Amino acid sequence: MASNSTEEFSIKASIEKQRTALERSRLAVSGHSEEAMETELHELEQCCVSLRQYFIFVLPIFGKTKYFMWILASVASIGGILYGIDQSLISSAGLYIPLDLRYDSNKESMISGFMPLGGIFGALLVYPSNELVGRKWSIVGACLLDICGSVLEATAHSWQMLLAGRMIVGVGVAIEAATVPGYIAECSPKHRRGTLVSLYQLCVMLGLVFGYIDAAIFVNLPGNWRWMLGSSLLFSSIFLVSMFVLPESPRYLMKEGRKVEAYYVWKRIRGFQTFEEKEEFFWMEHQVLKELQESKGHLKWLDFIRKPRCRRAAQYAIILMILQQFSGINTINHYMGELMREIGMSKQKAVYMSVIGGATGLFSTIPAIYLMDRLGRRILLLSFIGGVFCGLLIMGFSFLTTEIPTKVGLYIWGLVVYYVSWGLCLGPIPWVVGSEVWPTYLRSQGLCIADASKWIGEFITTYAFPFMVNAMTKTGIFCGFYAGIILMGTIYLMFFMPETKCKTLEELEDVFQQPMKDLLRQNRKNLKETWQAIKRFHINPIWVFSPFSGVIG
């Protein structure tokens, strides 16, 4: 009996010791004990009575946090449809615009290139708009610009008016393309952030498909290109209305000192059911205040040069975004109809066949959403980027053949291989990484930098394509230029790409604080282990479906 009592006392003491150790670790992370957290959360709840502007959240559809986060990410990602549809519509409309507006072939590259040119100007507006009015209202403003630009495009009676519409659309799309992924990332839990941000890329591919389908529907109507370009108004209007039911980002609200509103939004979209959610909320406040204090007295932009943590994040995000844009995707999307004609198809057939590429990219993005947080960004990218390289080679060599059936077969085969691989890696991952790597106080500036890199790359590859064809031929562009960039980018990623999955935005501070030599050493070790696993035909050590990185990562 005494032995049982002693054993029971020992167990209780062990449990109490573990509980005390856990409480200490909790206190060490956020500076708050769980009891103190509960007290402060109760006080914040009492202050929420006056927040009448958030009345929309009392609707039954927003009752459960597990549904609300998916609703928020899905609605915000509609902006991706606008981006995708504006890309694909011009590839089909561009086959008919020159005859109607009577301009020569020298201006064709301007019609395609002026949207990304507008995107460069839009990228410069990302920082001031996100800082002055926040994430939500920046997206609303971008949507209004897209509506105005689409109206100008559809009613254009000269190529100058069409160019103005293309530029305005580019400005709007650039603002939402930078802000939406960042907005979703700031609202998402760490274990689903990659998946939820990837919904944006899924909607981009969905927009591409909608654009090709729209073009196929209107191709035989009089003034077909006007109907094609004007059809994007439907999606712009839906997106504009939908954004009014979404809240502002809680991290932006906290940065602006609106803690009560940040609490209320967090409660509705994330909840405080677990200790981790409470901890992340207070750690978010701690980190925001710390970063703001450290940034006082100097120009924040200089931190991208002065602070190694910020410099590494910027380098990583910019290289990924440039690699995405110089992978050939803009040439294929913007000139899909023209490239189809080059391999021997008629205008109508080129419009119909363009659906194949868009649909392939769409369906390949779906598994990427599932794998993003289960495999990790690094493993997913390194596993499929080789397929992008092979697809470019097949498409490039198809232009060397003289027999039309062989040329068509090779090009379509390469296009499918390219889109499947691109949709699994280079499509969603740069958006996810570009939304999550920045410290909170520099997020607006970081989104601006990543967005500018993206639109500069898109403008160069879109506007310069006709001139590059004359200088290098299509085979040279696909097999030499684009494939060469992919090869060099892959080497960089193998040795210098960190893993960011399953970490809060605040925990990523430690990831980018580590010196590059430590990251290189770890990645070299992982690559050796991966090579050994490949030689033994063992896939399990490479593709590890867990919250932690596998061998490659």
Side-chain angles (χ1 to χ4, degrees), residues 68-97:
F68 187 93
M69 195 59 247
W70 284 97
I71 293 171
L72 182 146
S74 300
V75 171
S77 295
I78 295 175
I81 295 180
L82 303 184
Y83 178 28
I85 203 170
D86 285 324
Q87 274 193 323
S88 58
L89 283 174
I90 199 63
S91 75
S92 299
L95 296 172
Y96 299 93
I97 295 174

mmCIF file of all heavy atoms in Angstrom, residues 68-97:
data_model
loop_
_atom_site.group_PDB
_atom_site.id
_atom_site.type_symbol
_atom_site.label_atom_id
_atom_site.label_comp_id
_atom_site.label_asym_id
_atom_site.label_seq_id
_atom_site.Cartn_x
_atom_site.Cartn_y
_atom_site.Cartn_z
ATOM 1 N N PHE A 68 -13.836 29.630 -41.866
ATOM 2 C CA PHE A 68 -13.606 31.029 -42.229
ATOM 3 C C PHE A 68 -12.255 31.227 -42.911
ATOM 4 O O PHE A 68 -12.145 31.994 -43.861
ATOM 5 C CB PHE A 68 -13.689 31.926 -40.992
ATOM 6 C CG PHE A 68 -13.636 33.394 -41.334
ATOM 7 C CD1 PHE A 68 -14.812 34.094 -41.528
ATOM 8 C CD2 PHE A 68 -12.433 34.061 -41.486
ATOM 9 C CE1 PHE A 68 -14.776 35.439 -41.867
ATOM 10 C CE2 PHE A 68 -12.395 35.395 -41.822
ATOM 11 C CZ PHE A 68 -13.571 36.086 -42.015
ATOM 12 N N MET A 69 -11.212 30.524 -42.436
ATOM 13 C CA MET A 69 -9.889 30.702 -43.026
ATOM 14 C C MET A 69 -9.888 30.266 -44.483
ATOM 15 O O MET A 69 -9.268 30.904 -45.337
ATOM 16 C CB MET A 69 -8.871 29.893 -42.218
ATOM 17 C CG MET A 69 -7.437 30.274 -42.491
ATOM 18 S SD MET A 69 -7.081 31.995 -42.149
ATOM 19 C CE MET A 69 -6.762 32.619 -43.786
ATOM 20 N N TRP A 70 -10.599 29.195 -44.785
ATOM 21 C CA TRP A 70 -10.689 28.731 -46.178
ATOM 22 C C TRP A 70 -11.520 29.703 -47.014
ATOM 23 O O TRP A 70 -11.218 29.945 -48.186
ATOM 24 C CB TRP A 70 -11.298 27.328 -46.236
ATOM 25 C CG TRP A 70 -10.329 26.269 -45.827
ATOM 26 C CD1 TRP A 70 -10.209 25.681 -44.601
ATOM 27 C CD2 TRP A 70 -9.304 25.678 -46.641
ATOM 28 N NE1 TRP A 70 -9.190 24.764 -44.596
ATOM 29 C CE2 TRP A 70 -8.617 24.739 -45.843
ATOM 30 C CE3 TRP A 70 -8.907 25.852 -47.960
ATOM 31 C CZ2 TRP A 70 -7.558 23.972 -46.328
ATOM 32 C CZ3 TRP A 70 -7.849 25.089 -48.450
ATOM 33 C CH2 TRP A 70 -7.188 24.169 -47.636
ATOM 34 N N ILE A 71 -12.581 30.265 -46.407
ATOM 35 C CA ILE A 71 -13.394 31.256 -47.116
ATOM 36 C C ILE A 71 -12.552 32.483 -47.446
ATOM 37 O O ILE A 71 -12.558 32.993 -48.572
ATOM 38 C CB ILE A 71 -14.626 31.650 -46.274
ATOM 39 C CG1 ILE A 71 -15.584 30.472 -46.141
ATOM 40 C CG2 ILE A 71 -15.360 32.843 -46.907
ATOM 41 C CD1 ILE A 71 -16.711 30.708 -45.150
ATOM 42 N N LEU A 72 -11.802 32.961 -46.450
ATOM 43 C CA LEU A 72 -10.973 34.150 -46.657
ATOM 44 C C LEU A 72 -9.954 33.924 -47.777
ATOM 45 O O LEU A 72 -9.815 34.747 -48.688
ATOM 46 C CB LEU A 72 -10.260 34.501 -45.352
ATOM 47 C CG LEU A 72 -9.370 35.754 -45.358
ATOM 48 C CD1 LEU A 72 -9.420 36.442 -43.995
ATOM 49 C CD2 LEU A 72 -7.919 35.413 -45.679
ATOM 50 N N ALA A 73 -9.235 32.798 -47.711
ATOM 51 C CA ALA A 73 -8.200 32.529 -48.717
ATOM 52 C C ALA A 73 -8.806 32.334 -50.102
ATOM 53 O O ALA A 73 -8.270 32.807 -51.104
ATOM 54 C CB ALA A 73 -7.392 31.295 -48.316
ATOM 55 N N SER A 74 -9.955 31.661 -50.166
ATOM 56 C CA SER A 74 -10.590 31.400 -51.462
ATOM 57 C C SER A 74 -11.110 32.680 -52.098
ATOM 58 O O SER A 74 -10.940 32.905 -53.303
ATOM 59 C CB SER A 74 -11.742 30.395 -51.285
ATOM 60 O OG SER A 74 -11.268 29.169 -50.766
ATOM 61 N N VAL A 75 -11.749 33.526 -51.293
ATOM 62 C CA VAL A 75 -12.288 34.781 -51.832
ATOM 63 C C VAL A 75 -11.159 35.707 -52.270
ATOM 64 O O VAL A 75 -11.187 36.286 -53.365
ATOM 65 C CB VAL A 75 -13.187 35.474 -50.787
ATOM 66 C CG1 VAL A 75 -13.564 36.875 -51.248
ATOM 67 C CG2 VAL A 75 -14.448 34.646 -50.546
ATOM 68 N N ALA A 76 -10.137 35.846 -51.422
ATOM 69 C CA ALA A 76 -9.011 36.721 -51.779
ATOM 70 C C ALA A 76 -8.290 36.222 -53.025
ATOM 71 O O ALA A 76 -7.794 37.010 -53.832
ATOM 72 C CB ALA A 76 -8.036 36.825 -50.605
ATOM 73 N N SER A 77 -8.250 34.899 -53.200
ATOM 74 C CA SER A 77 -7.536 34.323 -54.339
ATOM 75 C C SER A 77 -8.242 34.544 -55.663
ATOM 76 O O SER A 77 -7.660 34.269 -56.726
ATOM 77 C CB SER A 77 -7.318 32.818 -54.111
ATOM 78 O OG SER A 77 -6.460 32.593 -53.010
ATOM 79 N N ILE A 78 -9.478 35.028 -55.631
ATOM 80 C CA ILE A 78 -10.164 35.347 -56.889
ATOM 81 C C ILE A 78 -9.345 36.363 -57.689
ATOM 82 O O ILE A 78 -9.412 36.399 -58.920
ATOM 83 C CB ILE A 78 -11.584 35.883 -56.614
ATOM 84 C CG1 ILE A 78 -12.449 34.790 -55.974
ATOM 85 C CG2 ILE A 78 -12.250 36.364 -57.896
ATOM 86 C CD1 ILE A 78 -13.835 35.268 -55.558
ATOM 87 N N GLY A 79 -8.551 37.155 -56.979
ATOM 88 C CA GLY A 79 -7.669 38.091 -57.672
ATOM 89 C C GLY A 79 -6.742 37.387 -58.645
ATOM 90 O O GLY A 79 -6.340 37.958 -59.671
ATOM 91 N N GLY A 80 -6.382 36.147 -58.347
ATOM 92 C CA GLY A 80 -5.552 35.372 -59.253
ATOM 93 C C GLY A 80 -6.251 35.087 -60.571
ATOM 94 O O GLY A 80 -5.600 34.986 -61.621
ATOM 95 N N ILE A 81 -7.575 34.952 -60.524
ATOM 96 C CA ILE A 81 -8.330 34.734 -61.763
ATOM 97 C C ILE A 81 -8.191 35.949 -62.670
ATOM 98 O O ILE A 81 -8.034 35.814 -63.896
ATOM 99 C CB ILE A 81 -9.814 34.454 -61.442
ATOM 100 C CG1 ILE A 81 -9.952 33.135 -60.672
ATOM 101 C CG2 ILE A 81 -10.648 34.426 -62.720
ATOM 102 C CD1 ILE A 81 -11.375 32.776 -60.305
ATOM 103 N N LEU A 82 -8.217 37.151 -62.083
ATOM 104 C CA LEU A 82 -8.058 38.369 -62.883
ATOM 105 C C LEU A 82 -6.691 38.391 -63.561
ATOM 106 O O LEU A 82 -6.572 38.758 -64.740
ATOM 107 C CB LEU A 82 -8.218 39.609 -61.997
ATOM 108 C CG LEU A 82 -9.524 39.751 -61.220
ATOM 109 C CD1 LEU A 82 -9.532 41.081 -60.484
ATOM 110 C CD2 LEU A 82 -10.715 39.644 -62.138
ATOM 111 N N TYR A 83 -5.664 38.013 -62.822
ATOM 112 C CA TYR A 83 -4.315 37.987 -63.384
ATOM 113 C C TYR A 83 -4.229 36.974 -64.535
ATOM 114 O O TYR A 83 -3.735 37.273 -65.628
ATOM 115 C CB TYR A 83 -3.322 37.646 -62.274
ATOM 116 C CG TYR A 83 -1.893 37.529 -62.721
ATOM 117 C CD1 TYR A 83 -1.410 38.230 -63.822
ATOM 118 C CD2 TYR A 83 -0.998 36.720 -62.017
ATOM 119 C CE1 TYR A 83 -0.082 38.125 -64.215
ATOM 120 C CE2 TYR A 83 0.332 36.615 -62.404
ATOM 121 C CZ TYR A 83 0.773 37.305 -63.512
ATOM 122 O OH TYR A 83 2.078 37.197 -63.896
ATOM 123 N N GLY A 84 -4.734 35.771 -64.286
ATOM 124 C CA GLY A 84 -4.654 34.727 -65.299
ATOM 125 C C GLY A 84 -5.462 35.033 -66.541
ATOM 126 O O GLY A 84 -5.003 34.828 -67.675
ATOM 127 N N ILE A 85 -6.666 35.551 -66.348
ATOM 128 C CA ILE A 85 -7.543 35.799 -67.498
ATOM 129 C C ILE A 85 -7.029 36.956 -68.346
ATOM 130 O O ILE A 85 -7.145 36.944 -69.578
ATOM 131 C CB ILE A 85 -8.995 36.051 -67.026
ATOM 132 C CG1 ILE A 85 -9.978 35.752 -68.161
ATOM 133 C CG2 ILE A 85 -9.209 37.455 -66.512
ATOM 134 C CD1 ILE A 85 -11.433 35.745 -67.720
ATOM 135 N N ASP A 86 -6.418 37.952 -67.711
ATOM 136 C CA ASP A 86 -5.844 39.058 -68.482
ATOM 137 C C ASP A 86 -4.638 38.612 -69.301
ATOM 138 O O ASP A 86 -4.337 39.185 -70.348
ATOM 139 C CB ASP A 86 -5.443 40.206 -67.544
ATOM 140 C CG ASP A 86 -6.656 40.984 -67.048
ATOM 141 O OD1 ASP A 86 -7.600 41.145 -67.823
ATOM 142 O OD2 ASP A 86 -6.653 41.417 -65.884
ATOM 143 N N GLN A 87 -3.931 37.571 -68.836
ATOM 144 C CA GLN A 87 -2.806 37.026 -69.595
ATOM 145 C C GLN A 87 -3.275 36.235 -70.808
ATOM 146 O O GLN A 87 -2.771 36.409 -71.913
ATOM 147 C CB GLN A 87 -1.955 36.116 -68.705
ATOM 148 C CG GLN A 87 -0.901 36.819 -67.885
ATOM 149 C CD GLN A 87 0.078 35.827 -67.287
ATOM 150 O OE1 GLN A 87 -0.285 34.731 -66.875
ATOM 151 N NE2 GLN A 87 1.333 36.198 -67.241
ATOM 152 N N SER A 88 -4.238 35.341 -70.592
ATOM 153 C CA SER A 88 -4.622 34.422 -71.666
ATOM 154 C C SER A 88 -5.519 35.073 -72.716
ATOM 155 O O SER A 88 -5.470 34.708 -73.894
ATOM 156 C CB SER A 88 -5.321 33.195 -71.076
ATOM 157 O OG SER A 88 -6.465 33.561 -70.319
ATOM 158 N N LEU A 89 -6.335 36.040 -72.321
ATOM 159 C CA LEU A 89 -7.235 36.666 -73.287
ATOM 160 C C LEU A 89 -6.462 37.376 -74.390
ATOM 161 O O LEU A 89 -6.855 37.336 -75.555
ATOM 162 C CB LEU A 89 -8.166 37.660 -72.575
ATOM 163 C CG LEU A 89 -9.333 37.060 -71.788
ATOM 164 C CD1 LEU A 89 -10.066 38.149 -71.015
ATOM 165 C CD2 LEU A 89 -10.301 36.322 -72.700
ATOM 166 N N ILE A 90 -5.351 38.020 -74.040
ATOM 167 C CA ILE A 90 -4.616 38.781 -75.048
ATOM 168 C C ILE A 90 -3.941 37.869 -76.066
ATOM 169 O O ILE A 90 -3.712 38.265 -77.211
ATOM 170 C CB ILE A 90 -3.570 39.703 -74.373
ATOM 171 C CG1 ILE A 90 -3.139 40.815 -75.349
ATOM 172 C CG2 ILE A 90 -2.386 38.908 -73.870
ATOM 173 C CD1 ILE A 90 -4.245 41.736 -75.761
ATOM 174 N N SER A 91 -3.644 36.619 -75.673
ATOM 175 C CA SER A 91 -3.000 35.714 -76.624
ATOM 176 C C SER A 91 -3.944 35.344 -77.752
ATOM 177 O O SER A 91 -3.519 35.152 -78.896
ATOM 178 C CB SER A 91 -2.504 34.447 -75.912
ATOM 179 O OG SER A 91 -3.571 33.581 -75.602
ATOM 180 N N SER A 92 -5.236 35.245 -77.453
ATOM 181 C CA SER A 92 -6.227 34.934 -78.488
ATOM 182 C C SER A 92 -6.731 36.204 -79.171
ATOM 183 O O SER A 92 -6.860 36.257 -80.399
ATOM 184 C CB SER A 92 -7.402 34.175 -77.877
ATOM 185 O OG SER A 92 -6.982 32.946 -77.303
ATOM 186 N N ALA A 93 -7.006 37.251 -78.366
ATOM 187 C CA ALA A 93 -7.490 38.505 -78.949
ATOM 188 C C ALA A 93 -6.438 39.109 -79.875
ATOM 189 O O ALA A 93 -6.770 39.749 -80.890
ATOM 190 C CB ALA A 93 -7.846 39.490 -77.841
ATOM 191 N N GLY A 94 -5.151 38.888 -79.545
ATOM 192 C CA GLY A 94 -4.079 39.452 -80.356
ATOM 193 C C GLY A 94 -4.032 38.922 -81.780
ATOM 194 O O GLY A 94 -3.389 39.529 -82.648
ATOM 195 N N LEU A 95 -4.707 37.809 -82.041
ATOM 196 C CA LEU A 95 -4.763 37.282 -83.404
ATOM 197 C C LEU A 95 -5.680 38.121 -84.296
ATOM 198 O O LEU A 95 -5.550 38.100 -85.518
ATOM 199 C CB LEU A 95 -5.259 35.823 -83.390
ATOM 200 C CG LEU A 95 -4.363 34.803 -82.667
ATOM 201 C CD1 LEU A 95 -5.069 33.454 -82.569
ATOM 202 C CD2 LEU A 95 -3.029 34.659 -83.384
ATOM 203 N N TYR A 96 -6.613 38.879 -83.684
ATOM 204 C CA TYR A 96 -7.628 39.599 -84.455
ATOM 205 C C TYR A 96 -7.524 41.121 -84.324
ATOM 206 O O TYR A 96 -8.037 41.853 -85.165
ATOM 207 C CB TYR A 96 -9.030 39.150 -84.010
ATOM 208 C CG TYR A 96 -9.273 37.670 -84.227
ATOM 209 C CD1 TYR A 96 -9.019 36.745 -83.223
ATOM 210 C CD2 TYR A 96 -9.737 37.210 -85.452
ATOM 211 C CE1 TYR A 96 -9.235 35.381 -83.420
ATOM 212 C CE2 TYR A 96 -9.951 35.852 -85.666
ATOM 213 C CZ TYR A 96 -9.692 34.960 -84.648
ATOM 214 O OH TYR A 96 -9.902 33.615 -84.873
ATOM 215 N N ILE A 97 -6.889 41.623 -83.249
ATOM 216 C CA ILE A 97 -6.811 43.069 -83.029
ATOM 217 C C ILE A 97 -6.102 43.806 -84.172
ATOM 218 O O ILE A 97 -6.583 44.855 -84.616
ATOM 219 C CB ILE A 97 -6.136 43.373 -81.672
ATOM 220 C CG1 ILE A 97 -6.997 42.862 -80.520
ATOM 221 C CG2 ILE A 97 -5.915 44.874 -81.507
ATOM 222 C CD1 ILE A 97 -6.337 42.986 -79.155
#
